[in-house]
Amino acid sequence: MAACSFDMRFTYVLSGWEGTANDSRVFLECVNNPAMGFPKPSEGKYYVVDSGYTNMPDFLSPYRGERYHLNNFRGHGQRSHMY
């Protein structure tokens, strides 16, 4: 499991989990066990996580069944000129 910041720098890496475990189990263990040293986001911030994880405080996952496209968000907030 790995987490990175908006400037694409790794802030947390966990490798070598013993046995077989799904991503969600590893994630919840890292987040809920202080001994794992997972960095919690600061107040008002959150992590964007994969759709395989659940929405919970400090972690935002995409809505199931919704398709997101980068083109929908480009230029958001900018005025487009249509003639």
Side-chain angles (χ1 to χ4, degrees):
M1 185 180 118
C4 65
S5 62
F6 283 109
D7 57 1
M8 302 305 288
R9 294 176 189 255
F10 288 104
T11 58
Y12 184 82
V13 175
L14 175 69
S15 64
W17 190 271
E18 292 184 26
T20 303
N22 65 28
D23 292 344
S24 187
R25 178 177 173 215
V26 174
F27 171 72
L28 290 173
E29 181 67 24
C30 290
V31 170
N32 294 324
N33 184 348
M36 299 297 276
F38 188 85
K40 298 283 182 147
S42 57
E43 184 69 30
K45 304 284 183 176
Y46 56 90
Y47 282 105
V48 177
V49 296
D50 188 83
S51 62
Y53 304 115
T54 186
N55 278 319
M56 54 193 259
D58 301 327
F59 301 92
L60 180 64
S61 119
Y63 289 110
R64 289 199 185 276
E66 183 68 28
R67 296 197 61 173
Y68 297 93
H69 299 282
L70 185 57
N71 289 339
N72 293 344
F73 300 98
R74 285 197 176 131
H76 183 71
Q78 296 177 1
R79 203 171 191 180
S80 64
H81 299 285
M82 301 185 92
Y83 299 100

